[in-house]
Amino acid sequence: MQKLIEKIKDRTAVVGIVGLGYVGLPLAVLQAKTGYRVLGIDGVSEKVERVNKADNYISDVADADLQQVIRNGRLTATCDFNVLRDCDVVLICVPTPLTPNKEPDISAILKVTGELAKYAHPDMLVVLESTTYPGTTDEVMLPILTATGLKVGDTLFMAFSPERVDPGNRSFKTHNTFKLVGGVTRSCLTVARTFYEQSIVKIFTVSHSRVAEMAKVFENVFRSVNIALVNELAILCDRMGMNAYEVIDAAATKNFGFMPFYPGPGVGGHCIPLDPYYLAWKSKEYDLHTRFIELAGEINEGMPYYVAAKLQRILNRRGLCLNGAKILVLGITYKADVGDERETPAIKVMELLQREQAQLAYVAPFVPSVSVAERSYEGTTLTVERLAASDCALILTAHSSFDYDLVVRHAPVVYDTRNATKNVQAAKTNVFLL
Ligand SMILES: NC(=O)c1ccc[n+]([C@@H]2O[C@H](COP(=O)([O-])OP(=O)(O)OC[C@H]3O[C@@H](n4cnc5c(N)ncnc54)[C@H](O)[C@@H]3O)[C@@H](O)[C@H]2O)c1
């Protein structure tokens, strides 16, 4: 253990990072900038080639940083798992999606753990960073790795340390976001904490890897439940003829005990729509049905249907129906100013409108084309003519690059599901909120 800690402190430890996506690539660049030799491993050869050419594909990574660590040889990427034999520290950042029936799919973690078992050696730290259910590190990965003869807390050190990156957040990046660390044993925690202390400003340790796993998934449950609560409020306000945003902003003036969340056309990204179901699944093993999680999922997943139904009502008032209506969709990604379209509710909304024969076109930065139920669309630009020729502009993502004044002035009707038009000065008689 002491030898590994020395290598971590004097930066001679070699760091392997498996999965070079939204989480893994920023982490790889951070560790390389910290002074480690970093070996990035990804199953997709195109990504590996791009990393090695310093051709950046993650907006949270600065081009100059990637170029610097590739040029100085601190970061190299490969598809070949056998480089793990040279690694002292291995961080796993692979996806944790759901099956079609919303059960955890940890096949990527299992695959990587299987590869690791081939190359694991004494004095190795293995940390899982992927979001998952409590118990994945010690109940699933540990037996596979200790079957090699390594002894946890003695020759093998294992921990869970969730990534909490918030893509597009300008203030909080990997290095200055509080890092939770939970070890399988006390010595595992000591080694893992020492490693993260070299590159991350604030570390918060917990008593076990399972606590860190639970904390991470609970953070996402918290968001999902609160978003569902305001989504329900928005539906109620619509029926009662009130502006939900005004209500929320009024409640948020309370100096304590209230935290504003805002409604929208649904939840997206690789966290909020998925992670809560990991906990719901695990809880059944303990004879508990986590009803908040299921209820929040039900409400949030119902929002695209609500948006499609309300759009139908809006058109109806103008004597139009969805069939044949020209709908100009503004924004595709699950949140503003990022290029991540995973699980975005915009695609679901478009699918529902497409099913009713609406004529769709879309405008979205970062997304040149999209596929909606086997039909593909090319993005277009936001022009006065296009707005005027539409029957409705449907705002699904509040990108800061959109000219909302232009939208309100030239679209016959605007259905704004994000309150993106709140600062528009022009009369907003044609704007409908969520
Ligand atoms: N994106 C976020 O905002 C975010 C935030 C916090 C936590 N997380 C969690 O981090 C994990 C990774 O998420 P992400 O957004 O980086 O995903 P991602 O899809 O962007 O990246 C994962 C990478 O792993 C690679 N990969 C998949 N299976 C592999 C395998 N068997 N071997 C090698 N490489 C493999 C993929 O090719 C991909 O490049 C997930 O558990 C996610 O829930 C994501």
Side-chain angles (χ1 to χ4, degrees):
M1 167 169 148
Q2 220 38 52
K3 220 168 77 187
L4 178 56
I5 286 181
E6 285 315 312
K7 278 176 132 181
I8 287 171
K9 285 186 173 165
D10 69 16
R11 310 285 196 269
T12 54
V14 175
V15 178
I17 296 186
V18 190
L20 297 173
Y22 285 93
V23 168
L25 190 60
L27 195 59
V29 171
L30 174 68
Q31 296 308 331
K33 281 180 71 186
T34 304
Y36 294 111
R37 164 118 180 75
V38 177
L39 303 169
I41 303 155
D42 200 284
V44 176
S45 57
E46 193 207 333
K47 282 192 178 174
V48 164
E49 282 161 24
R50 288 188 69 173
V51 172
N52 287 332
K53 282 193 252 165
D55 176 8
N56 191 12
Y57 52 85
I58 299 287
S59 58
D60 277 347
V61 171
D63 292 348
D65 286 347
L66 182 61
Q67 282 156 13
Q68 184 202 337
V69 296
I70 291 293
R71 211 179 305 122
N72 68 17
R74 290 259 170 237
L75 172 62
T76 323
T78 176
C79 286
D80 200 343
F81 278 91
N82 71 19
V83 297
L84 288 172
R85 65 160 65 93
D86 301 324
C87 296
D88 302 290
V89 175
V90 178
L91 311 178
I92 300 170
C93 313
V94 293
T96 43
L98 293 172
T99 66
N101 297 328
K102 299 205 186 308
E103 292 192 345
D105 172 3
I106 59 162
S107 54
I109 293 178
L110 287 172
K111 183 161 184 283
V112 172
T113 312
E115 291 291 339
L116 247 175
K118 293 185 205 161
Y119 306 108
H121 55 76
D123 273 339
M124 195 179 216
L125 168 66
V126 176
V127 187
L128 179 63
E129 293 224 3
S130 303
T131 310
T132 182
Y133 57 81
T136 309
T137 308
D138 65 325
E139 292 171 7
V140 179
M141 295 175 66
L142 180 70
I144 299 171
L145 294 182
T146 48
T148 61
L150 293 171
K151 202 160 176 298
V152 73
D154 180 18
T155 50
L156 171 71
F157 304 93
M158 290 190 70
F160 181 80
S161 181
E163 177 54 65
R164 292 158 133 184
V165 70
D166 176 21
N169 192 316
R170 283 161 204 248
S171 312
F172 293 102
K173 304 282 180 198
T174 309
H175 77 282
N176 63 351
T177 301
F178 236 119
K179 190 87 175 118
L180 292 185
V181 188
V184 168
T185 67
R186 282 175 74 88
S187 50
C188 292
L189 176 63
T190 304
V191 178
R193 188 187 54 212
T194 307
F195 172 70
Y196 284 112
E197 274 170 357
Q198 311 305 311
S199 55
I200 294 177
V201 184
K202 291 180 284 187
I203 312 290
F204 188 87
T205 60
V206 292
S207 60
H208 198 272
S209 54
R210 257 176 277 141
V211 177
E213 287 163 335
M214 180 68 109
K216 167 67 193 184
V217 81
F218 181 66
E219 288 166 18
N220 290 342
V221 168
F222 174 85
R223 282 190 63 73
S224 175
V225 168
N226 279 287
I227 292 168
L229 187 64
V230 290
N231 279 337
E232 195 176 62
L233 176 81
I235 295 170
L236 178 63
C237 284
D238 179 56
R239 287 207 194 159
M240 295 178 75
M242 275 186 238
N243 179 328
Y245 301 95
E246 192 185 352
V247 173
I248 295 164
D249 288 343
T253 60
K254 189 176 179 196
N255 308 60
F256 45 84
F258 186 86
M259 185 187 281
F261 281 80
Y262 293 97
V267 287
H270 189 1
C271 295
I272 311 300
L274 311 181
D275 303 344
Y277 290 111
Y278 269 67
L279 189 57
W281 176 83
K282 184 69 179 175
S283 70
K284 294 193 180 89
E285 198 180 308
Y286 294 84
D287 300 329
L288 197 82
H289 292 257
T290 46
R291 282 173 287 167
F292 269 113
I293 293 177
E294 298 290 347
L295 182 60
E298 193 184 314
I299 293 173
N300 292 335
E301 285 162 35
M303 290 311 287
Y305 294 85
Y306 168 81
V307 168
K310 178 154 176 180
L311 179 57
Q312 203 155 14
R313 277 192 281 136
I314 292 169
L315 291 171
N316 191 42
R317 287 194 197 175
R318 298 187 61 225
L320 299 171
C321 62
L322 268 178
N323 191 329
K326 295 190 201 79
I327 310 298
L328 184 61
V329 171
L330 303 189
I332 292 290
T333 53
Y334 77 96
K335 71 174 188 173
D337 301 337
V338 298
D340 190 350
E341 52 190 284
R342 289 177 298 176
E343 314 290 331
T344 176
I347 299 294
K348 186 72 197 179
V349 172
M350 287 176 78
E351 189 188 324
L352 296 172
L353 301 180
Q354 181 176 284
R355 231 184 258 170
E356 301 304 322
Q357 315 292 328
Q359 285 184 38
L360 303 176
Y362 83 90
V363 184
F366 317 111
V367 186
S369 63
V370 288
S371 244
V372 180
E374 287 164 24
R375 185 157 166 203
S376 41
Y377 295 85
E378 300 284 320
T380 184
T381 47
L382 193 59
T383 63
V384 170
E385 295 72 30
R386 213 157 265 135
L387 285 163
S390 72
D391 292 309
C392 178
L394 170 62
I395 301 171
L396 293 177
T397 317
H399 289 299
S400 56
S401 59
F402 289 146
D403 181 344
Y404 295 107
D405 275 287
L406 189 87
V407 175
V408 172
R409 270 190 277 116
H410 297 285
V413 170
V414 180
Y415 181 19
D416 177 3
T417 68
R418 297 284 190 180
N419 201 21
T421 54
K422 63 174 181 279
N423 296 324
V424 168
Q425 296 304 313
K428 289 192 269 182
T429 46
N430 59 340
V431 177
F432 294 82
L433 296 178
L434 192 70

